[in-house]
């Protein structure tokens, strides 16, 4: 039996349709939860499109940037943004994003994959335990 990666590698049309569906779910997650779309996008890009781990992370960030900007605008327009500390958070997130993008170039794909899925697993366990 073929693995999921092998199936999508040999059926590009199916991979593209599944990628569009994953992108839709990524947008819904990011809009509804205020983030987290990358947790869906990265596995979709690696499994469905066969992207190497680092390229999948970079592509997810590039795809989520405009999505986050649109979501943020909607949150602000609906009064769901607290400027009393929100601007400090924005500064920290931007600084962290710059640091993370430099780290991405330095660490191995294996370590990146281990840390990424380890964080996802820990978050899932925490959610189930609470």
């Amino acid at each position: 039996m073929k693995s999921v990666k092998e199936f999508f590698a040999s059926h590009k049309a199916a991979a593209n349709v599944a990628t569009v569906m994953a992108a839709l779910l990524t947008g819904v997650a990011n809009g509804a939860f205020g983030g987290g779309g990358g947790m869906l996008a990265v596995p979709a890009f690696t499994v469905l499109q066969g992207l190497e781990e680092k390229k999948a992370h970079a592509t997810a960030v590039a795809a989520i940037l405009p999505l986050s900007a649109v979501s943020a605008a909607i949150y602000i327009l609906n009064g769901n943004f607290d400027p009393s500390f929100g601007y400090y958070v924005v500064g920290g997130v931007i600084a962290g994003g710059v640091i993370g993008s430099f780290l991405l170039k330095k660490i191995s794909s294996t370590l990146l994959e281990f840390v990424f899925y380890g964080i996802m697993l820990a978050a899932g366990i925490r959610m189930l335990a609470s």
Side-chain angles (χ1 to χ4, degrees):
M1 183 171 169
K2 284 185 175 182
S3 74
V4 174
K5 274 188 173 182
E6 291 171 331
F7 172 81
F8 284 118
S10 62
H11 296 86
K12 276 317 235 184
N16 291 339
V17 169
T19 300
V20 169
M21 297 307 295
L24 177 65
L25 289 174
T26 297
V28 169
N30 207 73
F33 307 131
M39 297 292 188
L40 298 172
V42 170
F45 294 157
T46 57
V47 172
L48 302 175
Q49 294 297 323
L51 287 182
E52 181 263 322
E53 196 72 28
K54 287 184 179 185
K55 286 185 180 183
H57 283 266
T59 303
V61 169
I64 290 171
L65 175 63
L67 166 64
S68 293
V70 169
S71 295
I74 292 169
Y75 290 148
I76 290 167
L77 290 173
N78 288 330
N80 295 320
F81 177 75
D82 184 351
S84 67
F85 78 59
Y87 296 115
Y88 300 109
V89 172
V90 170
V93 168
I94 290 171
V98 170
I99 293 167
S101 65
F102 284 111
L103 285 175
L104 183 67
K105 289 171 40 175
K106 303 283 184 195
I107 64 174
S108 71
S109 289
T110 303
L111 178 60
L112 177 65
E113 188 173 14
F114 179 78
V115 170
F116 179 74
Y117 291 110
I119 290 170
M120 285 180 58
L121 181 62
I125 291 170
R126 182 172 181 262
M127 288 177 70
L128 289 173
S130 53

